[in-house]
């Protein structure tokens, strides 16, 4: 039995994104017999407001599935921009200092830091060294590169270069650095991280909770007040700048004359209000609130076509977890991603991948799938088989547990 200290901005009960996966990982480690503690913040994502029952500026300790959870104060901007995101991340990094330093006396075997936010990584590494623990950094995305490419972070080139060098210096000092896709792993290799320290640790999907349903089309659509006779094109997930959702509004406008096709946007995020404004008055667009986990499977099965948009230049820096649920539902997926990226490579095998920002190709792909139930059924079946083989919960977390135990064993020798 090992002591595992998890450090991360996002955690359960956040319903989507990094918090969902970090919470499930902590519960899995606890269920495997390890002592687990998590230093995190009050839940706020994807709504960008602290959830009911929690306070932004209060420390709090709770027990969840056997995990000791320490929540630290956090500033949450209602309209996140580049500078505001930096302050948001920095507020947690600073407020977590006393709680993390206290964990030195607990003497963890492994300190596992989940980034974003990378601001937490320096102190997590220091705590590991002071307590004699192994330091593991898990990268869900490359924050600095993504923010720079997407224009979220603007500044002097010199400042960006210095930040990049500091990032590499710190990455090279962790005993393990993991990330969620092969293309992201190659980027870490390019940063001169020793190969023996690198681990592929992808996100996962519970293929028993998300699976094809035999319910009638009418009954599924009725749950969400959607017309059963229309071909439903669904985007379900966070609505932020990284998602590149504007192209879906353009496709909806392009196909507005097709009364048999309905575009459905489901989720929350900083870009939702803008998307609603862009599609105001369009009869072929519908917005739904973020669905609870209890109805997620029904929602995914209510779609005829899933859409996964990615901005040009971002798809090799992130591996969106929402793709796993789309594939697990047994419905076809269209993704806007370059074929050389991880998203493009995966979707090309089991769905339709088109270049980002190519509105004509996106509209054509939607029309082709709308016209062919046979193609939709075939791609859905292939996607389901692929995700079950590669990204099931036991496959991914089982491998991670082995890698973690190997790291602990090294420290005991």
């Amino acid at each position: 039995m090992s002591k595992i200290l998890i450090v991360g901005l996002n955690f359960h009960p956040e319903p989507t994104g990094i918090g969902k996966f970090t919470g499930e990982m902590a519960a899995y480690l606890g269920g495997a017999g390890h002592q687990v503690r998590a230093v995190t913040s009050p839940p706020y994502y994807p709504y960008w407001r602290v959830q009911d029952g929690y306070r932004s500026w209060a420390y709090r300790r709770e027990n969840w599935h056997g995990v000791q959870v320490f929540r630290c104060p956090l500033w949450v901007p209602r309209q996140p921009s580049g500078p505001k995101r930096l302050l948001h991340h920095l507020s947690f990094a600073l407020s977590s200092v006393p709680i993390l330093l206290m964990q030195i006396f607990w003497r963890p075997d492994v300190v596992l830091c989940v980034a974003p936010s990378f601001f937490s990584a320096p102190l997590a590494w220091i705590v590991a060294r002071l307590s004699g623990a192994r330091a593991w950094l898990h990268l869900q995305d490359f924050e600095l590169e993504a923010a720079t490419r997407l224009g979220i972070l603007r500044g002097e080139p010199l400042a960006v270069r210095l930040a990049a060098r500091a990032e590499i210096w710190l990455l090279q000092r962790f005993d393990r650095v993991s990330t969620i896709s092969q293309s992201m792993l190659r980027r870490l290799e390019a940063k001169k991280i020793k190969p023996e320290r690198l681990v592929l640790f992808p996100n996962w999907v519970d293929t028993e909770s998300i699976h094809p349903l035999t319910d009638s089309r009418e009954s599924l659509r009725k749950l969400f007040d959607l017309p059963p006779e229309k071909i439903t094109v669904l985007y379900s997930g966070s609505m932020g700048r990284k998602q590149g959702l504007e192209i879906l509004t353009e496709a909806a406008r392009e196909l507005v004359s097709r009364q048999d096709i309905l575009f459905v946007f489901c989720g929350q995020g900083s870009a939702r209000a803008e998307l609603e404004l862009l599609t105001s008055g369009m009869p072929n667009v519908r917005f739904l609130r973020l669905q609870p986990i209890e109805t997620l499977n029904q929602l995914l099965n209510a779609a005829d076509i899933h859409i996964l948009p990615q901005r040009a230049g971002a798809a090799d820096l992130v591996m969106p977890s929402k793709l796993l649920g789309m594939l697990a539902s047994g419905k076809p997926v269209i993704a806007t991603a370059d074929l050389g990226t991880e998203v493009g490579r995966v979707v090309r095998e089991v769905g339709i991948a088109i270049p980002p920002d190519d509105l004509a190709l996106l509209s054509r792909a939607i029309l082709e799938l709308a016209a062919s139930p046979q193609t939709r059924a075939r791609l859905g079946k292939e996607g389901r088989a692929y995700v079950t083989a590669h990204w099931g919960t036991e496959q991914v977390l089982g491998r991670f547990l082995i890698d973690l135990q190997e790291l602990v064993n090294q420290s005991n020798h």
Side-chain angles (χ1 to χ4, degrees):
M1 180 186 296
S2 302
K3 295 179 178 179
I4 313 297
L5 176 63
I6 298 171
V7 184
L9 181 66
N10 303 96
F11 197 74
H12 174 87
E14 293 182 348
T16 64
I18 296 169
K20 174 180 179 294
F21 289 104
T22 305
E24 291 178 2
M25 175 186 68
Y28 187 89
L29 290 172
H34 298 286
Q35 296 181 49
V36 183
R37 291 185 176 184
V39 178
T40 186
S41 70
Y44 69 93
Y45 189 82
Y47 313 100
W48 285 95
R49 60 174 176 78
V50 171
Q51 293 183 23
D52 293 341
Y54 293 87
R55 291 187 294 167
S56 297
W57 300 105
Y59 286 95
R60 171 171 169 171
R61 181 173 178 173
E62 60 192 57
N63 189 294
W64 175 74
H65 283 252
V67 179
Q68 291 292 314
V69 182
F70 299 83
R71 298 197 184 270
C72 304
L74 176 75
W75 177 65
V76 182
R78 292 307 303 268
Q79 296 294 329
S81 61
K84 288 180 181 179
R85 286 176 187 267
L86 289 177
L87 291 174
H88 164 69
H89 288 184
L90 188 60
S91 69
F92 170 71
L94 293 175
S95 72
S96 64
V97 169
I99 302 300
L100 279 172
L101 292 177
M102 287 170 54
Q103 306 310 310
I104 295 172
F105 301 101
W106 185 53
R107 299 196 63 79
D109 296 297
V110 176
V111 177
L112 195 160
C113 180
V114 180
S117 167
F118 199 76
F119 280 144
S120 300
L123 186 58
W125 178 80
I126 290 172
V127 169
R129 292 296 172 257
L130 292 178
S131 58
R134 292 291 183 170
W136 184 315
L137 178 63
H138 180 54
L139 294 169
Q140 285 278 356
D141 68 33
F142 290 98
E143 295 168 79
L144 180 62
E145 294 177 57
T148 303
R149 286 195 191 184
L150 297 174
I152 296 173
L153 182 63
R154 295 182 176 89
E156 293 295 326
L158 177 60
V160 174
R161 287 200 301 271
L162 289 175
R165 290 179 182 176
E167 176 194 53
I168 292 173
W169 183 88
L170 186 59
L171 284 170
Q172 292 174 342
R173 273 145 186 81
F174 276 81
D175 300 299
R176 289 291 183 276
V177 181
S178 59
T179 192
I180 60 177
S181 74
Q182 290 287 355
S183 60
M184 293 170 73
L185 209 61
R186 288 193 292 271
R187 296 188 76 85
L188 286 171
E189 292 173 351
K191 294 176 186 290
K192 304 286 193 295
I193 312 301
K194 293 181 179 179
E196 63 270 19
R197 295 186 179 184
L198 293 177
V199 176
L200 178 64
F201 181 20
N203 289 329
W204 57 91
V205 61
D206 185 346
T207 53
E208 294 184 5
S209 296
I210 307 298
H211 58 89
L213 293 174
T214 58
D215 303 49
S216 70
R217 185 188 188 96
E218 289 75 13
S219 64
L220 285 172
R221 299 288 177 85
K222 187 176 181 180
L223 285 172
F224 308 102
D225 194 26
L226 299 174
E229 72 279 3
K230 294 194 176 186
I231 299 294
T232 298
V233 179
L234 174 67
Y235 171 81
S236 176
S238 302
M239 297 181 181
R241 293 190 64 183
K242 284 192 293 188
Q243 280 70 40
L245 293 168
E246 297 84 2
I247 194 171
L248 298 191
T249 68
E250 295 171 10
R253 192 173 299 279
E254 184 89 2
L255 301 176
V256 70
S257 63
R258 288 292 301 261
Q259 298 182 9
D260 59 325
I261 298 177
L262 179 68
F263 288 79
V264 177
F265 293 79
C266 178
Q268 288 296 138
S270 57
R272 174 162 173 154
E274 181 182 352
L275 295 170
E276 290 179 320
L277 187 63
L278 289 171
T279 57
S280 177
M282 293 173 59
N284 62 336
V285 174
R286 185 81 56 84
F287 279 82
L288 299 176
R289 63 178 177 83
L290 182 69
Q291 295 299 305
I293 190 66
E294 292 79 15
T295 57
L296 178 60
N297 193 37
Q298 287 91 334
L299 173 72
L300 296 176
N301 275 269
D304 295 294
I305 301 166
H306 288 294
I307 297 282
L308 177 64
Q310 291 285 283
R311 285 186 182 274
D316 58 336
L317 302 177
V318 297
M319 181 62 179
S321 58
K322 63 179 73 70
L323 173 61
L324 311 186
M326 295 175 179
L327 295 173
S329 71
K331 297 302 176 77
V333 176
I334 301 172
T336 64
D338 291 320
L339 298 183
T341 64
E342 189 85 355
V343 174
R345 181 188 65 78
V346 170
V347 175
R348 181 176 54 180
E349 292 190 32
V350 295
I352 298 176
I354 61 174
D357 305 322
D358 196 324
L359 176 60
L361 276 182
L362 175 59
S363 298
R364 187 188 310 168
I366 292 171
L367 291 174
E368 288 176 356
L369 284 184
S372 178
Q374 296 83 5
T375 303
R376 298 201 303 267
R378 175 179 60 81
L379 291 177
K381 185 177 181 180
E382 291 174 357
R384 168 74 184 179
Y386 190 94
V387 77
T388 301
H390 293 88
W391 291 314
T393 302
E394 279 301 324
Q395 290 96 319
V396 174
L397 288 177
R399 288 194 299 268
F400 165 68
L401 197 58
I402 293 172
D403 291 331
L404 189 69
Q405 193 58 54
E406 287 179 352
L407 182 62
V408 172
N409 291 342
Q410 288 178 14
S411 66
N412 292 334
H413 290 131

